């Protein structure tokens, strides 16, 4: 950097080349005596970008490793090196130019996830594809058991785990059946290898709506595929995007842009397997119901607030997302669950502000057996009394899962 930066400053008289991809062009320009101002400025721009990325990495390492900063503290200033890895046809909508940039910071060297995915097949990825694939893979990666998650517009609409009486093929079927209408055109994610049998099931499975229409998906994403499984899956559609992505470690810094600035926070890495469920009402839950509650708690973390997830027998029955009030999210989740809500476990991403003739009582009246929420409302006692009236087990976690 000590030599590159001064050379870039003097680009009117010096050609500074930091990218091997430019060697041939520069050599040709020198030989043909066609070096012009535009080439000099473009090479200088690349040189400054190169030095800036290097400086950012050094600064990041010093903050994280030199010992003067508190562990996991946020730096007072930060520079994040990013590089364009995929030019996109357009952004969220066709009139918006867009591109996909990879985070080149040291923290992300082995971060895994969608940015490090290999695309084996299908159409080029779109802006919305990246968002949905990230949502699906983040959710399924949080589940400890082998599982399938289906996402539509960044919300999980179907999910199921492998269990004593359910293999991965049946988990996939259960995830589709949770909301087959939303699953059509969605993203299917697995946290384990896709083999030929599973690929064949994905390729041939018919919609529960009519038993004839093959399910259509935008993306299938998994950590690995068997060679035969990959070939079988390619036969589903010429456009199906097949992604292979390394699992992602959730415990990383998260950035989000707002007008004129950025928000930074540590990742929400609390799942149903790491949360503490404190008994708050008289009724107790069975081991099976607690397993379902942990699954619901993990899934609700990935649903847009206000978020409700209802699970039973290791599968998602219904979810309510993005409603301005919690009771409407409860209504939607219970409507999707239908009669299967009886004996199910329900998780709420935040506390219930009201219980009587509201979220908690409606869940109890639908036959839900176990409810979990963070707690912390001034009316928490109402939730306890309501659950005691209906004989429903109630747990608090002390952890909120807002997702905006």
């Amino acid at each position: 950097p000590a030599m590159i930066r001064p050379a870039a400053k003097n680009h009117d008289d010096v050609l500074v080349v930091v990218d091997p991809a430019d060697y041939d062009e520069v050599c040709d320009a020198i030989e043909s005596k066609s070096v012009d101002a535009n080439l000099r400025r473009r090479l200088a721009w690349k040189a400054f970008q190169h030095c800036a990325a290097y400086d950012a990495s050094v600064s990041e390492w010093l903050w994280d490793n030199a010992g003067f900063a508190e562990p996991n503290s946020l730096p007072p200033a930060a520079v994040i090196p990013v590089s364009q890895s995929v030019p996109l046809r357009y952004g969220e909508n066709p009139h918006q130019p867009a591109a996909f940039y990879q985070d080149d910071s040291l923290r992300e060297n082995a971060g895994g996830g969608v940015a490090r995915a290999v695309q084996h097949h299908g159409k080029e990825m779109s802006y919305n594809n990246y968002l949905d694939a990230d949502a699906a893979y983040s959710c399924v990666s949080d589940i400890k058991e082998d599982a399938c998650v289906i996402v539509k517009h960044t919300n999980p609409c179907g999910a199921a785990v492998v269990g004593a009486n359910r293999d991965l093929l049946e988990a996939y079927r259960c995830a589709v059946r949770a909301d087959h209408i939303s699953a059509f055109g969605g993203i299917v994610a697995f946290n384990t290898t896709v083999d030929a049998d599973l690929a064949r099931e994905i390729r041939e499975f018919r919609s529960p709506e009519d038993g004839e229409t093959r399910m259509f998906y935008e993306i299938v994403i998994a950590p690995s595929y068997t060679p035969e499984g990959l070939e079988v899956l390619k036969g589903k559609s010429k456009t199906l995007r097949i992604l292979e992505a390394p699992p992602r470690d959730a415990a990383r810094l998260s950035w989000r842009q707002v007008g004129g600035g950025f928000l930074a926070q540590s990742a929400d890495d609390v799942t149903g397997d790491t949360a503490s469920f404190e008994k708050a009402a008289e009724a107790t839950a069975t081991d099976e119901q607690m397993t379902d509650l942990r699954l619901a708690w993990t899934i609700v973390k990935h649903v847009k607030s206000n978020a409700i997830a209802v699970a039973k027998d290791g599968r998602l029955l219904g979810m309510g997302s993005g409603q301005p009030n919690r009771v409407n999210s409860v209504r939607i989740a219970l409507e999707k669950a239908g009669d299967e809500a009886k004996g199910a476990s329900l998780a709420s991403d935040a506390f219930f502000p009201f219980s009587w003739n509201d979220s908690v009582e409606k869940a109890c009246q639908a036959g839900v057996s176990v409810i979990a929420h963070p707690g912390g409302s001034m009316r928490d006692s109402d939730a306890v009394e309501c659950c005691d009236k209906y004989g429903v087990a109630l747990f608090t976690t002390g952890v909120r899962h807002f997702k905006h």
Side-chain angles (χ1 to χ4, degrees):
M3 297 179 66
I4 293 173
R5 197 176 284 111
K9 288 180 180 178
N10 292 281
H11 60 268
D12 283 343
D13 302 302
V14 179
L15 289 176
V16 54
V17 187
V18 296
D19 186 354
D22 292 323
Y23 288 176
D24 289 342
E25 181 185 4
V26 172
C27 288
D28 291 343
I30 292 173
E31 290 177 1
S32 63
K33 298 182 180 180
S34 60
V35 175
D36 60 13
N38 284 336
L39 177 61
R40 293 179 180 278
R41 290 166 185 166
R42 177 161 56 83
L43 293 174
W45 169 78
K46 273 195 173 184
F48 282 120
Q49 285 290 120
H50 186 74
C51 291
Y54 173 84
D55 291 343
S57 295
V58 173
S59 173
E60 179 189 354
W61 188 92
L62 287 170
W63 180 265
D64 289 341
N65 299 282
F68 61 86
E70 291 294 324
N72 300 318
S73 60
L74 300 182
V79 177
I80 304 172
V82 297
S83 57
Q84 185 180 134
S85 58
V86 183
L88 303 177
R89 287 180 296 162
Y90 52 79
E92 215 161 4
N93 300 289
H95 64 280
Q96 297 172 265
F100 180 75
Y101 289 81
Q102 179 172 290
D103 187 340
D104 296 324
S105 61
L106 298 178
R107 296 184 188 93
E108 293 294 339
N109 272 349
V114 171
R116 267 66 179 178
V118 174
Q119 183 171 351
H120 291 292
H121 183 73
K123 290 174 61 177
E124 65 270 27
M125 292 282 285
S126 73
Y127 183 99
N128 293 329
N129 287 155
Y130 276 108
L131 291 175
D132 287 336
D134 182 61
Y137 203 50
S138 295
C139 184
V140 79
S141 296
D142 265 352
I143 300 174
K144 179 176 64 176
E145 302 87 354
D146 288 352
C148 173
V149 168
I150 302 177
V151 157
K152 189 70 165 291
H153 296 308
T154 71
N155 281 301
C157 59
V161 301
V162 170
N165 300 310
R166 182 187 299 129
D167 61 11
L168 193 56
L169 275 70
E170 184 60 23
Y172 159 70
R173 298 184 196 110
C174 288
V176 176
R177 292 177 185 133
D179 186 352
H180 66 273
I181 296 175
S182 297
F184 198 89
I187 284 73
V188 183
F190 299 92
N191 59 3
T192 188
T193 301
V194 174
D195 62 15
D197 290 338
L198 178 57
R200 197 169 290 110
E201 187 68 15
I202 297 169
R203 188 184 69 185
E204 301 297 335
F205 190 70
R206 264 55 176 179
S207 169
E209 183 76 21
D210 56 17
E212 296 180 0
T213 304
R214 285 185 182 179
M215 292 297 295
F216 163 74
Y217 304 117
E218 291 280 350
I219 300 168
V220 174
I221 182 170
S224 60
Y225 300 82
T226 65
E228 186 181 358
L230 187 58
E231 290 307 310
V232 170
L233 195 56
K234 287 179 180 179
K236 181 171 176 60
S237 165
K238 291 181 179 180
T239 63
L240 175 67
R241 301 162 181 88
I242 302 175
L243 302 183
E244 181 175 336
R248 178 165 177 76
D249 176 8
R252 295 178 184 274
L253 196 62
S254 171
W255 294 87
R256 188 168 182 179
Q257 190 171 10
V258 296
F262 290 86
L263 293 167
Q265 63 176 353
S266 61
D268 180 0
D269 58 357
V270 178
T271 68
D273 293 313
T274 59
S276 298
F277 293 89
E278 299 294 330
K279 190 172 180 292
E282 293 179 2
T284 58
T286 66
D287 290 343
E288 291 78 10
Q289 289 169 339
M290 288 304 300
T291 298
D292 289 333
L293 189 64
R294 293 186 183 94
L295 177 62
W297 189 254
T298 297
I299 292 172
V300 84
K301 163 188 167 181
H302 295 274
V303 178
K304 292 292 180 65
S305 300
N306 287 306
I308 299 292
V310 179
K312 182 180 178 181
D313 298 331
R315 56 199 172 95
L316 179 66
L317 298 181
M319 66 87 185
S321 65
Q323 299 303 303
N325 63 76
R326 190 156 302 278
V327 67
N328 276 347
S329 288
V330 171
R331 287 194 185 104
I332 292 169
L334 293 175
E335 179 183 340
K336 291 180 179 178
D339 292 339
E340 289 193 276
K342 295 180 175 62
S345 298
L346 180 149
S348 172
D349 68 333
F351 65 62
F352 297 106
F354 303 99
S355 298
W356 297 108
N357 196 33
D358 205 278
S359 300
V360 177
E361 188 167 27
K362 290 184 184 301
C364 293
Q365 290 171 340
V368 167
S369 292
V370 188
I371 296 174
H373 71 133
S377 167
M378 65 175 63
R379 298 183 181 87
D380 274 357
S381 59
D382 287 351
V384 174
E385 292 170 8
C386 185
C387 287
D388 284 343
K389 174 184 175 180
Y390 288 93
V392 171
L394 178 67
F395 294 86
T396 58
T397 64
V399 175
R400 192 178 71 184
H401 276 319
F402 267 171
K403 184 177 178 65
H404 288 81

